[in-house]
Amino acid sequence: MARKTPLKKQAETSATTIGGKLGLVANAVLKPAGASLDELIKLTGWQPHTIRAALTRLRPRGIDARPTTVDGRKAFRAVGVEG
């Protein structure tokens, strides 16, 4: 069965429906520049291990955030987001 909604659009829709701090994390990693671990810690007030666990909780919701280097800084960014 073919997917009716493109993956990027589906991830954006998923991020808008995720509430609370997990939604903040989702929106941050969906930006073209992504978000560094320090930025996510400041955004949520969570410990680094909690941030990493939250990133794994995004995967079943269609947002696959992976560590990457963006403009010379290490950041988590959703796969498929161009920037």
Side-chain angles (χ1 to χ4, degrees), residues 1-54:
M1 181 175 196
R3 178 176 279 147
K4 294 180 181 179
T5 307
L7 187 58
K8 183 178 177 188
K9 185 68 174 172
Q10 185 178 11
E12 290 170 358
T13 303
S14 296
T16 58
T17 60
I18 301 171
K21 291 182 181 180
L22 186 60
L24 295 175
V25 172
N27 288 331
V29 299
L30 283 170
K31 293 180 181 176
S36 70
L37 185 60
D38 288 336
E39 292 169 345
L40 294 172
I41 290 170
K42 288 177 186 175
L43 181 67
T44 61
W46 290 341
Q47 301 267 337
H49 64 277
T50 308
I51 296 290
R52 291 184 192 99

Side-chain angles (χ1 to χ4, degrees), residues 49-72:
H49 64 277
T50 308
I51 296 290
R52 291 184 192 99
L55 292 170
T56 64
R57 290 181 55 215
L58 292 175
R59 210 169 282 140
R61 298 170 188 227
I63 302 170
D64 186 13
R66 305 245 175 128
T68 185
T69 302
V70 180
D71 297 329

